[in-house]
Amino acid sequence: MVSPTPPSAPRKPHLLTTHGDERVDDWYWLRDRDDPAVIEYLEAENAYHEAMTARTKPLQERLFEEFKARIQETDESPPVFHGGHWYSTRMVEGLEYAIHARRTGSVTADEDVLLDENELAAGRDYFQLRAFETSPDHTLAAYGVNFDGSDNTELRFRDLDRKRDLDDVIPDVTWNVCWASDNRTFFYTARDAALRPHQVWRHRLGDPLEQATLVFEEDDERFRVGCERSKNGDFVLVHSASSLTTEIHFVPAGKPESELRVIEPRTTGLEYSAQPHGDRFLITTNADGAVNFKLMEAPTSAPGRANWVEVLGHRDDARLHGVDVLRDWIVLIEHANAVPRLRVMHAATGEIRELEVPEEVSSTELGANPEFDRSVLRFEYESMVTPRTTYDEDLETGERSLVKQVPVLGGYDPADYVTYREWATAADGTAVPLSVVRRADTPVDGTAPGMLYGYGSYEVTIDPGFSHLLLSLLDRGFVYAIAHIRGGGELGRRWYDDGKFLQKRNTFGDFIACAEHFRGAGGVGRLVAMGGSAGGLLMGAVVNERPDLFDGVLALVPFVDVVTTMLDESIPLTVGEFEEWGNPKDADYYAYMKSYSPYDNVTPQAYPPMLVTTGLNDTRVAFWEPAKWVAKLRTMTTNPDAPLVLKTELGAGHGGPSGRYNAWRERAMWWAFALDCVATVDET
């Protein structure tokens, strides 16, 4: 690739000193968003990106049209029964956003449109619906809107019968809202200066906002708060949790002005969640060394830990994430062998069975089950070759009915593709799973291109699922794999613990081992790596260590300036992140973070082509991190023919552009960059 001249950045040296370690940061000035030079520079970077990707524009357009040709653009979600209504959302060809509707009495009754996101988004460059919670009597809905891609949310309230919004508006809060039983009182969460949800408020529709009552405030900056109405409708639960510790309070939903009661006061390292079921709380917890969590119960009248009684014990081979409840059933939500699964337990007999599925490398997850007093469970199943499929299963009889499978247009045949599990061996001997998909006729003799995706943080699981958009790579001969690396939660809590704090480098070593396996026994020749956010940190770390492994890198909204960001407690998320990465004010953590922080470890070497994205309104990973990282990479790389390009969404945030067509165009840009890196077809 022949590179146009990249934009030049002002050089404004800034001295950073910590633990006696002095560093000069020439790009620290990018943090000043009010400086016109910052926007000018980002616009210049966008122009450079356009110039560098101009030759792939025809390919981007072809990919976009392929996406559209496979997706049924006018489609409706499976209707969900709740409170005598059948709720659904639908998309209409040519429209960016969803339409929310319901049918009353019968799934075939006339549709009643409740909210049209396209109307709310009219005239806006960005729109996202953040919540849509109906009141218990289904006459009202609380919903949240955002117009810039940040985490700011404006709560609004709609009369669903009259199709008009009420006068009540609550600006600059979170999208977390839940109703009390009187259909007029609701709870919501507010944020502090660092955008941390730290307060729960109670408000009654029609009252002045100044009369809202503060019911809970969290002063510990490691903790974030939230609220929810329990499945059975009995309680409003107020959660306060850090990465390591939980505390839950509750109040009767029918008496919302009552004083909060605590289930179990916080003890550092004790995590739990609670789900009311009859006169008891079902409590999922790591108490007493249950690393992968166990299930306990306690009476709602005396729910403290002293009264917890074991229902299901700890297991080494399965991570229990929590439970959902129906009147006579308890649904166990688990991960085992790097796949999500569901097991159901009869509440009276304790008999347990697993929901059977046809493919080993797949995902089974809860669907929408808002009704407590039912015995029919809705769940979702998919694999990397099977589109998302919705089933209803009668738990009394075991009878399963197909509700819907997401259509794939254009003659898609799953038999043309194969998905399977492979294992890589990390440097310390640990076996690391990969979920792989390719066309059945794609050779794995070292000639095929590959894409390797990774994340590996926060105990997040990257589960094998279906993607219409991925087919465009698979049909061009790509082999695609997810690297289930340490730091994620695919193999239980220990898998997570072994990839955080002072063991974080295991995450990067695992991904490198997966890349080496993919290029060896996996049968892949040229390789593109992809990751976003904390997965973007992964991209930065592995490309510093082994740039020779990758023919291209997609680093999406990457967290790459770890040390500087974690030293700044005014930045959103920083303090709470101490329990993920450690606190760099501690010299040991500082030295360890600096040993892998992508920005701090850029060295003179041959970096592969890299596409880096960010958003000006990103409140999770600030735009200056990827911007300064790209600038530094350009000064250090010894491979001038490999483009290092930055694309900034000037009107969006962490999630990229809004609207499905805009999102598809962005993905087409990613895929075109990847294809150009491996030069598999002469389409550019």
Side-chain angles (χ1 to χ4, degrees):
M1 299 180 184
V2 179
S3 302
T5 303
S8 59
R11 301 179 68 83
K12 302 179 181 180
H14 183 93
L15 185 64
L16 302 175
T17 304
T18 306
H19 300 295
D21 181 10
E22 292 189 349
R23 299 176 291 146
V24 174
D25 183 354
D26 287 332
W27 292 281
Y28 197 84
W29 66 277
L30 278 169
R31 294 164 59 97
D32 186 3
R33 179 173 167 164
D34 294 329
D35 184 347
V38 172
I39 302 301
E40 181 180 348
Y41 178 65
L42 295 177
E43 290 175 338
E45 284 282 7
N46 281 350
Y48 178 66
H49 166 266
E50 287 297 309
M52 290 300 300
T53 58
R55 64 189 298 268
T56 71
K57 291 296 184 182
L59 175 57
Q60 292 182 43
E61 190 61 32
R62 278 193 292 277
L63 290 165
F64 176 73
E65 293 300 327
E66 288 176 18
F67 299 164
K68 289 176 61 179
R70 290 194 193 97
I71 296 171
Q72 187 165 297
E73 295 182 64
T74 297
D75 200 8
E76 185 174 6
S77 67
V80 175
F81 182 73
H82 190 27
H85 307 280
W86 293 90
Y87 287 87
S88 64
T89 59
R90 60 181 171 88
M91 304 297 296
V92 175
E93 183 175 354
L95 297 182
E96 292 276 10
Y97 303 101
I99 297 169
H100 301 257
R102 69 183 178 191
R103 294 173 172 86
T104 302
S106 167
V107 73
T108 60
D110 291 340
E111 178 188 73
D112 182 19
V113 173
L114 306 177
L115 189 75
D116 187 340
E117 293 183 30
N118 300 282
E119 294 178 357
L120 298 174
R124 305 277 189 170
D125 292 331
Y126 184 97
F127 172 79
Q128 187 177 20
L129 184 72
R130 291 280 174 78
F132 188 77
E133 296 289 338
T134 56
S135 60
D137 66 0
H138 297 264
T139 62
L140 302 169
Y143 69 97
V145 294
N146 172 267
F147 298 109
D148 64 6
S150 70
D151 283 344
N152 294 322
T153 300
E154 179 179 276
L155 284 180
R156 301 177 180 180
F157 300 85
R158 174 157 294 199
D159 184 321
L160 297 179
D161 293 327
R162 300 182 181 181
K163 307 296 185 299
R164 66 176 182 83
D165 284 354
L166 306 182
D167 293 334
D168 303 74
V169 175
I170 305 177
D172 297 329
V173 290
T174 77
W175 53 87
N176 186 203
V177 59
C178 62
W179 293 91
S181 297
D182 63 3
N183 304 296
R184 288 295 179 270
T185 304
F186 60 92
F187 296 79
Y188 66 94
T189 56
R191 303 178 303 166
D192 63 12
L195 306 184
R196 173 182 65 100
H198 74 128
Q199 295 174 332
V200 177
W201 292 79
R202 184 183 68 242
H203 185 59
R204 184 174 173 82
L205 285 174
D207 291 347
L209 189 56
E210 308 84 64
Q211 293 182 10
T213 301
L214 177 64
V215 298
F216 184 84
E217 183 167 18
E218 180 55 75
D219 295 325
D220 190 326
E221 294 181 69
R222 297 171 300 167
F223 285 72
R224 300 165 66 87
V225 304
C227 60
E228 64 172 322
R229 181 182 172 91
S230 66
K231 176 77 168 284
N232 64 6
D234 289 350
F235 298 107
V236 170
L237 304 176
V238 173
H239 305 258
S240 184
S242 72
S243 295
L244 300 176
T245 305
T246 313
E247 184 176 80
I248 301 177
H249 296 76
F250 64 101
V251 63
K255 298 179 179 179
E257 296 183 3
S258 302
E259 291 294 321
L260 290 177
R261 294 176 56 200
V262 68
I263 291 179
E264 172 63 23
R266 68 188 65 178
T267 299
T268 300
L270 176 65
E271 300 173 63
Y272 67 94
S273 60
Q275 184 69 261
H277 190 251
D279 60 359
R280 62 177 175 169
F281 281 114
L282 292 170
I283 298 167
T284 306
T285 180
N286 68 342
D288 308 313
V291 177
N292 277 339
F293 290 68
K294 60 184 177 180
L295 185 63
M296 312 288 280
E297 66 177 9
T300 57
S301 59
R305 185 174 177 182
N307 299 316
W308 291 3
V309 175
E310 186 173 289
V311 178
L312 285 176
H314 171 267
R315 296 179 61 184
D316 285 327
D317 62 346
R319 165 71 158 95
L320 178 63
H321 295 287
V323 300
D324 194 13
V325 291
L326 301 174
R327 181 192 59 204
D328 298 323
W329 299 87
I330 300 168
V331 185
L332 307 172
I333 305 164
E334 301 177 338
H335 258 83
N337 199 31
V339 297
R341 70 179 188 187
L342 299 176
R343 294 194 299 155
V344 292
M345 179 171 68
H346 194 280
T349 67
E351 182 181 353
I352 299 175
R353 65 178 176 86
E354 184 176 346
L355 293 185
E356 295 183 1
V357 295
E359 298 167 284
E360 178 185 359
V361 182
S362 59
S363 298
T364 308
E365 301 173 326
L366 281 175
N369 293 278
E371 291 284 306
F372 176 75
D373 193 22
R374 300 191 78 197
S375 63
V376 175
L377 178 72
R378 174 160 294 182
F379 69 95
E380 312 278 357
Y381 171 80
E382 65 183 309
S383 76
M384 298 175 86
V385 301
T386 302
R388 178 165 285 257
T389 308
T390 303
Y391 292 102
D392 281 346
E393 182 158 326
D394 189 318
L395 300 181
E396 299 286 354
T397 66
E399 182 179 354
R400 181 179 297 183
S401 58
L402 172 66
V403 179
K404 177 172 182 168
Q405 184 172 82
V406 175
V408 184
L409 306 183
Y412 173 76
D413 185 350
D416 292 338
Y417 304 82
V418 292
T419 184
Y420 47 92
R421 171 64 44 80
E422 290 192 350
W423 296 83
T425 303
D428 63 0
T430 299
V432 183
L434 299 94
S435 295
V436 188
V437 64
R438 60 176 170 83
R439 282 191 63 94
D441 57 2
T442 295
V444 283
D445 57 2
T447 61
M451 178 175 284
L452 184 64
Y453 178 84
Y455 188 77
S457 293
Y458 303 108
E459 203 178 2
V460 169
T461 62
I462 306 299
D463 300 318
F466 186 82
S467 169
H468 290 73
L469 311 187
L470 183 59
L471 294 176
S472 287
L473 290 186
L474 301 182
D475 288 349
R476 287 172 169 82
F478 266 73
V479 184
Y480 178 87
I482 303 168
H484 301 292
I485 51 184
R486 280 175 283 185
E490 289 91 339
L491 291 177
R493 172 54 66 88
R494 290 186 181 91
W495 196 249
Y496 168 51
D497 288 339
D498 286 347
K500 65 182 295 192
F501 288 146
L502 298 178
Q503 299 188 82
K504 187 61 197 173
R505 294 185 68 90
N506 285 337
T507 303
F508 316 134
D510 286 359
F511 192 85
I512 288 171
C514 289
E516 290 174 332
H517 172 88
F518 212 27
R519 297 196 73 148
V524 167
R526 295 142 293 166
L527 181 60
V528 176
M530 182 172 73
S533 195
L537 160 63
L538 171 69
M539 295 298 101
V542 299
V543 80
N544 278 336
E545 291 190 31
R546 289 294 307 277
D548 58 297
L549 277 176
F550 308 106
D551 297 281
V553 173
L554 301 174
L556 315 171
V557 291
F559 173 42
V560 285
D561 191 16
V562 180
V563 176
T564 306
T565 291
M566 293 303 295
L567 283 168
D568 188 346
E569 296 183 15
S570 70
I571 294 175
L573 306 180
T574 292
V575 175
E577 300 283 277
F578 289 161
E579 293 186 350
E580 175 73 20
W581 313 100
N583 188 341
K585 291 179 181 177
D586 180 305
D588 290 339
Y589 277 107
Y590 176 84
Y592 191 78
M593 284 183 191
K594 194 175 179 185
S595 76
Y596 68 74
S597 175
Y599 179 70
D600 293 294
N601 288 280
V602 176
T603 59
Q605 58 182 326
Y607 285 95
M610 299 175 66
L611 169 62
V612 182
T613 69
T614 187
L616 183 64
N617 300 324
D618 193 338
T619 51
R620 302 186 189 186
V621 178
F623 70 89
W624 60 75
E625 292 197 36
K628 64 193 281 192
W629 179 51
V630 169
K632 190 173 184 180
L633 282 166
R634 291 201 192 112
T635 68
M636 293 288 193
T637 186
T638 60
N639 186 11
D641 292 332
L644 301 167
V645 293
L646 174 71
K647 176 67 166 66
T648 303
E649 292 292 338
L650 297 175
H654 199 64
S658 70
R660 58 174 176 166
Y661 294 110
N662 291 331
W664 297 348
R665 288 198 178 278
E666 182 183 50
R667 185 62 62 92
M669 182 259 291
W670 300 353
W671 280 185
F673 187 88
L675 285 161
D676 206 27
C677 288
V678 299
T680 57
V681 286
D682 186 19
E683 291 193 82
T684 59

PDB file of all heavy atoms in Angstrom, residues 16 44 105 152 229 261 291 324 363 402 428 440 448 463 472 492 511 520 522 535 537 558 574 593 605 649 662 679:
ATOM      1  N   LEU A  16       5.437  13.576  32.802  1.00  0.00           N
ATOM      2  CA  LEU A  16       4.693  12.730  33.722  1.00  0.00           C
ATOM      3  C   LEU A  16       5.686  12.085  34.680  1.00  0.00           C
ATOM      4  O   LEU A  16       6.663  11.474  34.248  1.00  0.00           O
ATOM      5  CB  LEU A  16       3.938  11.638  32.955  1.00  0.00           C
ATOM      6  CG  LEU A  16       2.952  12.108  31.881  1.00  0.00           C
ATOM      7  CD1 LEU A  16       2.381  10.906  31.138  1.00  0.00           C
ATOM      8  CD2 LEU A  16       1.832  12.918  32.496  1.00  0.00           C
ATOM      9  N   ALA A  44      -8.359  15.947  10.471  1.00  0.00           N
ATOM     10  CA  ALA A  44      -7.265  15.635   9.548  1.00  0.00           C
ATOM     11  C   ALA A  44      -6.989  14.132   9.530  1.00  0.00           C
ATOM     12  O   ALA A  44      -6.707  13.543   8.473  1.00  0.00           O
ATOM     13  CB  ALA A  44      -6.009  16.407   9.946  1.00  0.00           C
ATOM     14  N   GLY A 105     -54.646  -9.336  23.826  1.00  0.00           N
ATOM     15  CA  GLY A 105     -55.581 -10.457  23.824  1.00  0.00           C
ATOM     16  C   GLY A 105     -55.163 -11.614  22.965  1.00  0.00           C
ATOM     17  O   GLY A 105     -55.383 -12.771  23.315  1.00  0.00           O
ATOM     18  N   ASN A 152     -24.721   9.539  28.843  1.00  0.00           N
ATOM     19  CA  ASN A 152     -25.809  10.387  29.333  1.00  0.00           C
ATOM     20  C   ASN A 152     -27.152   9.856  28.835  1.00  0.00           C
ATOM     21  O   ASN A 152     -27.285   9.479  27.671  1.00  0.00           O
ATOM     22  CB  ASN A 152     -25.643  11.831  28.846  1.00  0.00           C
ATOM     23  CG  ASN A 152     -24.421  12.493  29.441  1.00  0.00           C
ATOM     24  OD1 ASN A 152     -24.106  12.277  30.607  1.00  0.00           O
ATOM     25  ND2 ASN A 152     -23.737  13.299  28.646  1.00  0.00           N
ATOM     26  N   ARG A 229     -36.925  -4.251  39.647  1.00  0.00           N
ATOM     27  CA  ARG A 229     -38.125  -4.850  40.227  1.00  0.00           C
ATOM     28  C   ARG A 229     -38.000  -6.356  40.085  1.00  0.00           C
ATOM     29  O   ARG A 229     -37.631  -6.860  39.015  1.00  0.00           O
ATOM     30  CB  ARG A 229     -39.368  -4.348  39.496  1.00  0.00           C
ATOM     31  CG  ARG A 229     -40.700  -4.887  40.035  1.00  0.00           C
ATOM     32  CD  ARG A 229     -41.845  -4.336  39.191  1.00  0.00           C
ATOM     33  NE  ARG A 229     -43.118  -4.955  39.525  1.00  0.00           N
ATOM     34  CZ  ARG A 229     -43.967  -4.500  40.435  1.00  0.00           C
ATOM     35  NH1 ARG A 229     -43.644  -3.410  41.123  1.00  0.00           N
ATOM     36  NH2 ARG A 229     -45.109  -5.110  40.672  1.00  0.00           N
ATOM     37  N   ARG A 261     -34.159  -2.448  53.497  1.00  0.00           N
ATOM     38  CA  ARG A 261     -33.558  -3.472  54.342  1.00  0.00           C
ATOM     39  C   ARG A 261     -32.423  -4.132  53.570  1.00  0.00           C
ATOM     40  O   ARG A 261     -32.497  -4.296  52.348  1.00  0.00           O
ATOM     41  CB  ARG A 261     -34.588  -4.528  54.737  1.00  0.00           C
ATOM     42  CG  ARG A 261     -35.704  -4.023  55.623  1.00  0.00           C
ATOM     43  CD  ARG A 261     -36.711  -5.136  55.854  1.00  0.00           C
ATOM     44  NE  ARG A 261     -36.075  -6.323  56.423  1.00  0.00           N
ATOM     45  CZ  ARG A 261     -36.596  -7.553  56.371  1.00  0.00           C
ATOM     46  NH1 ARG A 261     -37.755  -7.768  55.735  1.00  0.00           N
ATOM     47  NH2 ARG A 261     -35.962  -8.573  56.915  1.00  0.00           N
ATOM     48  N   VAL A 291     -15.741 -20.682  44.575  1.00  0.00           N
ATOM     49  CA  VAL A 291     -15.144 -19.861  43.523  1.00  0.00           C
ATOM     50  C   VAL A 291     -16.059 -19.756  42.312  1.00  0.00           C
ATOM     51  O   VAL A 291     -16.203 -18.675  41.711  1.00  0.00           O
ATOM     52  CB  VAL A 291     -13.769 -20.438  43.118  1.00  0.00           C
ATOM     53  CG1 VAL A 291     -13.171 -19.628  41.964  1.00  0.00           C
ATOM     54  CG2 VAL A 291     -12.823 -20.452  44.303  1.00  0.00           C
ATOM     55  N   ASP A 324     -32.967 -17.593  37.066  1.00  0.00           N
ATOM     56  CA  ASP A 324     -34.239 -16.972  36.755  1.00  0.00           C
ATOM     57  C   ASP A 324     -35.307 -17.868  37.377  1.00  0.00           C
ATOM     58  O   ASP A 324     -35.059 -19.037  37.664  1.00  0.00           O
ATOM     59  CB  ASP A 324     -34.442 -16.839  35.251  1.00  0.00           C
ATOM     60  CG  ASP A 324     -35.587 -15.886  34.899  1.00  0.00           C
ATOM     61  OD1 ASP A 324     -36.047 -15.151  35.794  1.00  0.00           O
ATOM     62  OD2 ASP A 324     -36.027 -15.894  33.738  1.00  0.00           O
ATOM     63  N   SER A 363     -24.366 -21.670  21.836  1.00  0.00           N
ATOM     64  CA  SER A 363     -24.779 -20.823  22.955  1.00  0.00           C
ATOM     65  C   SER A 363     -26.259 -21.038  23.233  1.00  0.00           C
ATOM     66  O   SER A 363     -27.086 -20.955  22.316  1.00  0.00           O
ATOM     67  CB  SER A 363     -24.531 -19.339  22.644  1.00  0.00           C
ATOM     68  OG  SER A 363     -23.154 -19.077  22.448  1.00  0.00           O
ATOM     69  N   LEU A 402     -40.768 -24.506  18.216  1.00  0.00           N
ATOM     70  CA  LEU A 402     -39.994 -23.472  17.542  1.00  0.00           C
ATOM     71  C   LEU A 402     -40.838 -22.220  17.413  1.00  0.00           C
ATOM     72  O   LEU A 402     -41.945 -22.253  16.866  1.00  0.00           O
ATOM     73  CB  LEU A 402     -39.560 -23.957  16.163  1.00  0.00           C
ATOM     74  CG  LEU A 402     -38.892 -22.926  15.252  1.00  0.00           C
ATOM     75  CD1 LEU A 402     -37.558 -22.475  15.818  1.00  0.00           C
ATOM     76  CD2 LEU A 402     -38.706 -23.508  13.845  1.00  0.00           C
ATOM     77  N   ASP A 428       2.772 -21.332  29.626  1.00  0.00           N
ATOM     78  CA  ASP A 428       2.833 -22.027  30.919  1.00  0.00           C
ATOM     79  C   ASP A 428       2.148 -23.387  30.888  1.00  0.00           C
ATOM     80  O   ASP A 428       1.942 -24.017  31.925  1.00  0.00           O
ATOM     81  CB  ASP A 428       2.232 -21.160  32.027  1.00  0.00           C
ATOM     82  CG  ASP A 428       0.749 -20.868  31.808  1.00  0.00           C
ATOM     83  OD1 ASP A 428       0.177 -21.333  30.794  1.00  0.00           O
ATOM     84  OD2 ASP A 428       0.161 -20.150  32.647  1.00  0.00           O
ATOM     85  N   ALA A 440     -17.051 -25.348   4.716  1.00  0.00           N
ATOM     86  CA  ALA A 440     -16.605 -26.736   4.705  1.00  0.00           C
ATOM     87  C   ALA A 440     -15.549 -26.985   3.631  1.00  0.00           C
ATOM     88  O   ALA A 440     -14.701 -27.868   3.780  1.00  0.00           O
ATOM     89  CB  ALA A 440     -17.803 -27.662   4.502  1.00  0.00           C
ATOM     90  N   ALA A 448      -5.203 -20.543   3.753  1.00  0.00           N
ATOM     91  CA  ALA A 448      -6.396 -19.728   3.999  1.00  0.00           C
ATOM     92  C   ALA A 448      -6.063 -18.533   4.877  1.00  0.00           C
ATOM     93  O   ALA A 448      -5.226 -18.614   5.774  1.00  0.00           O
ATOM     94  CB  ALA A 448      -7.480 -20.569   4.667  1.00  0.00           C
ATOM     95  N   ASP A 463     -19.150 -15.612  23.582  1.00  0.00           N
ATOM     96  CA  ASP A 463     -19.770 -16.893  23.283  1.00  0.00           C
ATOM     97  C   ASP A 463     -19.933 -17.094  21.774  1.00  0.00           C
ATOM     98  O   ASP A 463     -20.145 -16.134  21.031  1.00  0.00           O
ATOM     99  CB  ASP A 463     -21.134 -16.981  23.969  1.00  0.00           C
ATOM    100  CG  ASP A 463     -21.019 -16.857  25.480  1.00  0.00           C
ATOM    101  OD1 ASP A 463     -20.089 -17.467  26.043  1.00  0.00           O
ATOM    102  OD2 ASP A 463     -21.840 -16.152  26.099  1.00  0.00           O
ATOM    103  N   SER A 472     -19.631 -12.854   4.801  1.00  0.00           N
ATOM    104  CA  SER A 472     -18.891 -12.242   3.692  1.00  0.00           C
ATOM    105  C   SER A 472     -17.405 -12.563   3.759  1.00  0.00           C
ATOM    106  O   SER A 472     -16.729 -12.612   2.721  1.00  0.00           O
ATOM    107  CB  SER A 472     -19.101 -10.725   3.686  1.00  0.00           C
ATOM    108  OG  SER A 472     -20.403 -10.406   3.244  1.00  0.00           O
ATOM    109  N   GLY A 492     -14.851 -20.416  33.916  1.00  0.00           N
ATOM    110  CA  GLY A 492     -15.061 -20.246  35.344  1.00  0.00           C
ATOM    111  C   GLY A 492     -14.313 -19.072  35.937  1.00  0.00           C
ATOM    112  O   GLY A 492     -13.515 -18.406  35.282  1.00  0.00           O
ATOM    113  N   PHE A 511      -3.462 -15.146  23.883  1.00  0.00           N
ATOM    114  CA  PHE A 511      -3.853 -14.757  22.524  1.00  0.00           C
ATOM    115  C   PHE A 511      -2.721 -15.043  21.545  1.00  0.00           C
ATOM    116  O   PHE A 511      -2.957 -15.513  20.420  1.00  0.00           O
ATOM    117  CB  PHE A 511      -4.236 -13.279  22.491  1.00  0.00           C
ATOM    118  CG  PHE A 511      -4.911 -12.862  21.213  1.00  0.00           C
ATOM    119  CD1 PHE A 511      -6.275 -13.028  21.051  1.00  0.00           C
ATOM    120  CD2 PHE A 511      -4.186 -12.307  20.162  1.00  0.00           C
ATOM    121  CE1 PHE A 511      -6.910 -12.654  19.872  1.00  0.00           C
ATOM    122  CE2 PHE A 511      -4.807 -11.930  18.980  1.00  0.00           C
ATOM    123  CZ  PHE A 511      -6.172 -12.106  18.836  1.00  0.00           C
ATOM    124  N   GLY A 520      -0.482 -22.416  12.691  1.00  0.00           N
ATOM    125  CA  GLY A 520       0.171 -23.711  12.580  1.00  0.00           C
ATOM    126  C   GLY A 520      -0.836 -24.810  12.379  1.00  0.00           C
ATOM    127  O   GLY A 520      -1.330 -25.041  11.276  1.00  0.00           O
ATOM    128  N   GLY A 522      -3.841 -24.926  13.120  1.00  0.00           N
ATOM    129  CA  GLY A 522      -5.146 -24.450  12.677  1.00  0.00           C
ATOM    130  C   GLY A 522      -5.264 -24.283  11.182  1.00  0.00           C
ATOM    131  O   GLY A 522      -6.368 -24.071  10.661  1.00  0.00           O
ATOM    132  N   GLY A 535     -10.531  -5.378  24.675  1.00  0.00           N
ATOM    133  CA  GLY A 535      -9.954  -6.186  23.604  1.00  0.00           C
ATOM    134  C   GLY A 535      -9.037  -5.372  22.709  1.00  0.00           C
ATOM    135  O   GLY A 535      -8.162  -5.929  22.038  1.00  0.00           O
ATOM    136  N   LEU A 537      -7.035  -3.060  24.071  1.00  0.00           N
ATOM    137  CA  LEU A 537      -5.810  -3.169  24.868  1.00  0.00           C
ATOM    138  C   LEU A 537      -5.067  -4.449  24.492  1.00  0.00           C
ATOM    139  O   LEU A 537      -3.837  -4.450  24.319  1.00  0.00           O
ATOM    140  CB  LEU A 537      -6.163  -3.177  26.359  1.00  0.00           C
ATOM    141  CG  LEU A 537      -5.130  -3.736  27.329  1.00  0.00           C
ATOM    142  CD1 LEU A 537      -3.857  -2.923  27.313  1.00  0.00           C
ATOM    143  CD2 LEU A 537      -5.700  -3.804  28.741  1.00  0.00           C
ATOM    144  N   PRO A 558      -9.883   1.279  21.441  1.00  0.00           N
ATOM    145  CA  PRO A 558      -8.976   0.520  22.302  1.00  0.00           C
ATOM    146  C   PRO A 558      -8.530   1.291  23.547  1.00  0.00           C
ATOM    147  O   PRO A 558      -8.221   2.481  23.508  1.00  0.00           O
ATOM    148  CB  PRO A 558      -7.788   0.258  21.376  1.00  0.00           C
ATOM    149  CG  PRO A 558      -7.755   1.449  20.464  1.00  0.00           C
ATOM    150  CD  PRO A 558      -9.198   1.797  20.228  1.00  0.00           C
ATOM    151  N   THR A 574     -12.342   5.025  36.407  1.00  0.00           N
ATOM    152  CA  THR A 574     -10.995   4.708  36.876  1.00  0.00           C
ATOM    153  C   THR A 574     -10.977   4.028  38.236  1.00  0.00           C
ATOM    154  O   THR A 574     -10.391   2.957  38.408  1.00  0.00           O
ATOM    155  CB  THR A 574     -10.112   5.973  36.912  1.00  0.00           C
ATOM    156  OG1 THR A 574      -9.879   6.427  35.579  1.00  0.00           O
ATOM    157  CG2 THR A 574      -8.772   5.673  37.572  1.00  0.00           C
ATOM    158  N   MET A 593       1.775  -2.652  35.184  1.00  0.00           N
ATOM    159  CA  MET A 593       0.970  -2.027  34.129  1.00  0.00           C
ATOM    160  C   MET A 593       1.858  -1.448  33.035  1.00  0.00           C
ATOM    161  O   MET A 593       1.582  -1.592  31.844  1.00  0.00           O
ATOM    162  CB  MET A 593       0.105  -0.908  34.706  1.00  0.00           C
ATOM    163  CG  MET A 593      -1.094  -1.357  35.477  1.00  0.00           C
ATOM    164  SD  MET A 593      -2.026   0.107  35.984  1.00  0.00           S
ATOM    165  CE  MET A 593      -3.157  -0.651  37.139  1.00  0.00           C
ATOM    166  N   GLN A 605       9.981  -1.009  15.523  1.00  0.00           N
ATOM    167  CA  GLN A 605       9.863  -2.329  14.919  1.00  0.00           C
ATOM    168  C   GLN A 605       8.851  -2.250  13.779  1.00  0.00           C
ATOM    169  O   GLN A 605       8.177  -1.228  13.605  1.00  0.00           O
ATOM    170  CB  GLN A 605       9.454  -3.380  15.944  1.00  0.00           C
ATOM    171  CG  GLN A 605       8.144  -3.108  16.650  1.00  0.00           C
ATOM    172  CD  GLN A 605       7.826  -4.179  17.684  1.00  0.00           C
ATOM    173  OE1 GLN A 605       8.151  -5.355  17.502  1.00  0.00           O
ATOM    174  NE2 GLN A 605       7.182  -3.793  18.786  1.00  0.00           N
ATOM    175  N   GLU A 649     -15.326   8.829  15.176  1.00  0.00           N
ATOM    176  CA  GLU A 649     -16.716   9.245  15.039  1.00  0.00           C
ATOM    177  C   GLU A 649     -16.896  10.512  15.859  1.00  0.00           C
ATOM    178  O   GLU A 649     -16.875  10.488  17.087  1.00  0.00           O
ATOM    179  CB  GLU A 649     -17.656   8.142  15.532  1.00  0.00           C
ATOM    180  CG  GLU A 649     -17.660   6.893  14.680  1.00  0.00           C
ATOM    181  CD  GLU A 649     -18.267   7.117  13.306  1.00  0.00           C
ATOM    182  OE1 GLU A 649     -19.049   8.076  13.157  1.00  0.00           O
ATOM    183  OE2 GLU A 649     -17.965   6.336  12.396  1.00  0.00           O
ATOM    184  N   ASN A 662     -25.900   2.395   9.266  1.00  0.00           N
ATOM    185  CA  ASN A 662     -24.605   2.998   9.591  1.00  0.00           C
ATOM    186  C   ASN A 662     -23.664   1.963  10.194  1.00  0.00           C
ATOM    187  O   ASN A 662     -22.462   1.944   9.898  1.00  0.00           O
ATOM    188  CB  ASN A 662     -24.796   4.160  10.567  1.00  0.00           C
ATOM    189  CG  ASN A 662     -25.485   5.351   9.941  1.00  0.00           C
ATOM    190  OD1 ASN A 662     -25.368   5.579   8.735  1.00  0.00           O
ATOM    191  ND2 ASN A 662     -26.207   6.117  10.737  1.00  0.00           N
ATOM    192  N   ALA A 679      -4.939  -9.568   1.160  1.00  0.00           N
ATOM    193  CA  ALA A 679      -4.922  -9.617  -0.307  1.00  0.00           C
ATOM    194  C   ALA A 679      -5.397 -10.960  -0.834  1.00  0.00           C
ATOM    195  O   ALA A 679      -4.757 -11.605  -1.658  1.00  0.00           O
ATOM    196  CB  ALA A 679      -3.520  -9.309  -0.823  1.00  0.00           C
TER     197      ALA A 679
END
